[in-house]
Amino acid sequence: MFQKISHSTGVTDEEEILFSTPFNYLFPEAARSAACLLPVSLNTIQGLKALGNAMADNGSIGDPAGQGDSQIDALFTYIGQFIDHDITARTDRDTTISDLSNESAITPANPDNVIKTLKNGRRPQLDLDSVFGEGPGLAGSTAQAKTQSQILYNNDLKLNLFKNGSRIDLPRQQINNPDPVQQAIIADGRNDENLNISQIQALFLSFYNHVYDVLSGTKEEKYIRARQLVRWSYQYAVVHDYLMAVCDRNIVLDVLANGPRFYSSTAGKGETFMPLEFSVAAFRFGHSMIRPFYKLNNTNSAVHLVNMAGGLQILGPNARADNFDDDGQFVSGLMINWSNFIGNSAQKARKLDTKIAHDLFTLPFRPSGDPILSSLTTSNLVRGYSLSIPTGQAVCDAMGIIPLSPSEITSTEDPAIAAVVTANNFDTRSPLWYYLLREAAVQQGGERLGEAGSRIVAETLIGLLKQDPNSYMNNLHDPAITDTHIEVTGGAYGKISNFRSLLKFGGAAGL
Ligand code: HEM
């Protein structure tokens, strides 16, 4: 069932709906060259675990305006995660190709096997399959045409959504897993793995429903046009709002004007593929932007990612009894007032650097106490090793970029991290995920990605849009697509130019 795509371990292929699209390497020669990878050794795994642990940010938990903040509005953290879940899934599978459960058995997989065995559970087109699923099965009414996805839609072909006064939430059903979980009935279960992304998913459903409402025609015509306008609005905002906020602007403009230099379908035998360097390392940069707690609305105090004392909690929200009202939907105390996430008084994302919020070291939906999987940092680092992701230095070489020198990496680095990096020679062969975060801190003061990180992220997202004949970039003749916005309806309100206007049109409280 498609609802089961998750970051939990132990979910089998049969339990997930699979688009089964290809992964490949951006830099296949590097992935196949031992010199471009981390050394194959148990010591490397021990080093990665030590590095992961050293990256824990234990400071400033009680200080809402913590010194680790960037100037990027906190919304962009979860827009990033929402984009991730739209285009890439399953690099974290504990299958034979990347099983992190038995430390002593972890070795880097042969890249050819990775490409053959590991399949992406998402369609890499920024087309919101995480929102629309496979659609409501317009092709016919036979039993075969009635796909699982139909349960996402009501008879009018609007998306099901819970609304009660100021409470907005995803449609839910109670399951036992084995403890009770208020599972969201949505196309990608990961979009209910934390409260913030869950509420963004709800606003996307609501955005689609509102666009549908302003259109005329049969319900099938309204569904098709509304879905198209929603996709284009989102894609436009990904390029002109999100990428401009998290990447080096000049690199984004260069990729827009001249096209990707390294990412093209020809690198993957002519198929559109998700680059593993993006999914397993570069785009996980967003993990460093996560705050340890969030002020959600103006009535409650900040809510922690993990709340050991009981009460409201951001991570794994659907398994948390305190998060639910008697009707099985989120309590009003969890409803986000979006002025806390975007705009003048918004809390900020944490800096893009190598310090990671400490609650991410005890992920509630992972086996408790597992030396690798329970921690997000260690999972990222060991996952990169296991999937033969080239080092930061090798990736820079492949792109013709001068990599950070060992002293740039360590001299101003947190001393505990620097000690682990030096002891394990990670200053000359750096795990790519760590390297790109360090690059962001050294080159951009943690305000955005550095040169290599910006290029991988901008080339992948813009490259996906350029390769898709249905993207807004390839439909400029349509009157709804202008240079400055997507016009979903007349009037200023209907001009969608960024995520703020998109969420506002979706009915986001506080905007
Ligand atoms: C509270 C927020 C978040 C949590 C708890 C979280 C957790 C996770 C976990 C557990 C994994 C799998 C790790 C592994 O075993 O390999 C993962 C993968 C990933 N995360 Fe996050 N994440 C969060 C936010 C983000 C953000 C903000 C971004 C990007 C802006 C992001 C990007 C990714 C990507 C690209 C993957 C790989 C997806 C794939 O399998 O292809 N995540 N995340």
Side-chain angles (χ1 to χ4, degrees):
M1 282 253 297
F2 58 84
Q3 294 97 319
K4 296 241 182 95
I5 283 192
S6 76
H7 282 134
S8 308
T9 52
V11 177
T12 63
D13 283 1
E14 295 73 35
E15 290 176 304
E16 297 181 336
I17 199 169
L18 297 178
F19 282 103
S20 220
T21 59
F23 282 113
N24 211 318
Y25 293 88
L26 260 187
F27 304 109
E29 292 80 16
R32 290 188 179 93
S33 155
C36 296
L37 301 174
L38 296 174
V40 182
S41 147
L42 265 182
N43 289 340
T44 299
I45 297 176
Q46 297 310 329
L48 293 173
K49 280 168 57 187
L51 177 58
N53 292 336
M55 291 171 80
D57 183 0
N58 290 314
S60 63
I61 296 305
D63 171 11
Q67 45 182 303
D69 286 359
S70 71
Q71 293 176 43
I72 304 171
D73 286 348
L75 176 72
F76 288 101
T77 309
Y78 296 92
I79 292 296
Q81 191 181 26
F82 184 83
I83 295 169
D84 145 30
H85 294 172
D86 178 29
I87 54 177
T88 179
R90 306 182 80 247
T91 59
D92 62 348
R93 288 304 76 183
D94 265 5
T95 60
T96 43
I97 202 69
S98 178
D99 182 354
L100 307 189
S101 62
N102 178 4
E103 209 170 297
S104 56
I106 302 171
T107 50
N110 177 327
D112 294 317
N113 283 345
V114 174
I115 298 164
K116 207 165 116 199
T117 314
L118 190 69
K119 295 296 167 200
N120 183 4
R122 295 258 65 102
R123 203 162 40 203
Q125 285 178 331
L126 291 159
D127 65 353
L128 294 172
D129 53 10
S130 54
V131 168
F132 296 112
E134 288 178 297
L138 298 183
S141 55
T142 60
Q144 293 91 325
K146 287 186 183 301
T147 66
Q148 275 289 346
S149 297
Q150 283 180 285
I151 62 171
L152 303 177
Y153 296 84
N154 67 18
N155 286 337
D156 278 339
L157 302 185
K158 288 168 77 170
L159 285 159
N160 292 322
L161 180 66
F162 171 85
K163 267 188 176 176
N164 184 359
S166 60
R167 286 167 69 218
I168 173 171
D169 189 14
L170 303 172
R172 296 184 181 277
Q173 65 187 2
Q174 187 176 331
I175 57 153
N176 293 320
N177 189 26
D179 297 322
V181 171
Q182 286 299 115
Q183 189 184 51
I185 306 170
I186 53 175
D188 190 321
R190 295 174 302 172
N191 283 353
D192 194 35
E193 278 183 2
N194 71 68
L195 187 272
N196 303 339
I197 195 163
S198 178
Q199 298 260 298
I200 287 176
Q201 173 86 0
L203 283 176
F204 264 86
L205 304 182
S206 178
F207 177 57
Y208 161 79
N209 287 348
H210 285 199
V211 175
Y212 177 103
D213 281 339
V214 298
L215 296 172
S216 49
T218 65
K219 62 182 182 180
E220 287 81 8
E221 286 164 352
K222 290 201 282 182
Y223 161 71
I224 287 168
R225 182 62 172 167
R227 189 181 62 171
Q228 186 176 51
L229 291 171
V230 167
R231 285 176 173 164
W232 287 345
S233 301
Y234 160 68
Q235 293 169 354
Y236 188 94
V238 167
V239 173
H240 295 280
D241 197 19
Y242 178 75
L243 281 181
M244 293 300 179
V246 300
C247 291
D248 181 331
R249 195 183 165 82
N250 291 328
I251 293 179
V252 179
L253 292 174
D254 177 57
V255 179
L256 274 175
N258 304 313
R261 291 219 298 258
F262 305 100
Y263 176 54
S264 74
S265 56
T266 49
K269 297 187 197 153
E271 300 167 311
T272 295
F273 67 95
M274 277 311 296
L276 286 156
E277 293 85 343
F278 174 95
S279 297
V280 184
F283 208 61
R284 297 190 185 202
F285 78 90
H287 292 161
S288 81
M289 296 167 74
I290 299 166
R291 299 174 61 78
F293 51 81
Y294 288 89
K295 181 171 169 50
L296 301 176
N297 49 50
N298 302 334
T299 47
N300 276 25
S301 51
V303 179
H304 285 252
L305 292 180
V306 175
N307 187 353
M308 303 307 256
L312 304 181
Q313 170 172 308
I314 302 267
L315 292 190
N318 57 18
R320 190 81 176 174
D322 286 334
N323 283 356
F324 291 97
D325 219 328
D326 292 343
D327 56 11
Q329 305 288 154
F330 280 149
V331 293
S332 56
L334 287 176
M335 293 299 111
I336 292 181
N337 179 309
W338 293 93
S339 62
N340 290 310
F341 279 72
I342 182 160
N344 293 340
S345 56
Q347 59 208 318
K348 301 298 178 189
R350 304 287 286 177
K351 278 190 176 144
L352 283 64
D353 62 15
T354 58
K355 301 298 282 183
I356 310 293
H358 74 4
D359 288 11
L360 297 170
F361 290 70
T362 49
L363 293 172
F365 42 81
R366 283 278 171 91
S368 160
D370 185 289
I372 295 173
L373 291 167
S374 62
S375 151
L376 189 50
T377 51
T378 312
S379 296
N380 289 338
L381 291 165
V382 183
R383 190 73 69 194
Y385 172 75
S386 139
L387 290 173
S388 296
I389 302 299
T391 61
Q393 289 78 3
V395 164
C396 286
D397 286 347
M399 291 198 285
I401 292 173
I402 298 171
L404 298 179
S405 67
S407 102
E408 280 174 312
I409 292 177
T410 54
S411 61
T412 54
E413 176 60 291
D414 172 273
I417 299 178
V420 178
V421 166
T422 309
N424 290 280
N425 300 320
F426 292 152
D427 49 352
T428 50
R429 287 163 92 172
S430 309
L432 185 59
W433 177 67
Y434 166 81
Y435 178 89
L436 296 175
L437 290 177
R438 187 65 190 136
E439 183 195 64
V442 170
Q443 294 181 352
Q444 300 283 353
E447 289 300 336
R448 59 194 69 79
L449 289 166
E451 190 175 0
S454 294
R455 189 150 279 284
I456 296 174
V457 167
E459 288 213 358
T460 304
L461 295 182
I462 294 171
L464 291 175
L465 291 172
K466 283 191 183 268
Q467 288 174 48
D468 176 8
N470 294 318
S471 77
Y472 86 93
M473 285 187 186
N474 293 317
N475 286 277
L476 298 178
H477 60 278
D478 191 291
I481 302 174
T482 78
D483 283 349
T484 53
H485 62 269
I486 305 298
E487 185 123 356
V488 300
T489 185
Y493 186 54
K495 295 181 177 17
I496 309 300
S497 58
N498 52 32
F499 281 105
R500 184 191 178 86
S501 49
L502 188 157
L503 297 183
K504 189 176 160 96
F505 198 91
L511 297 188

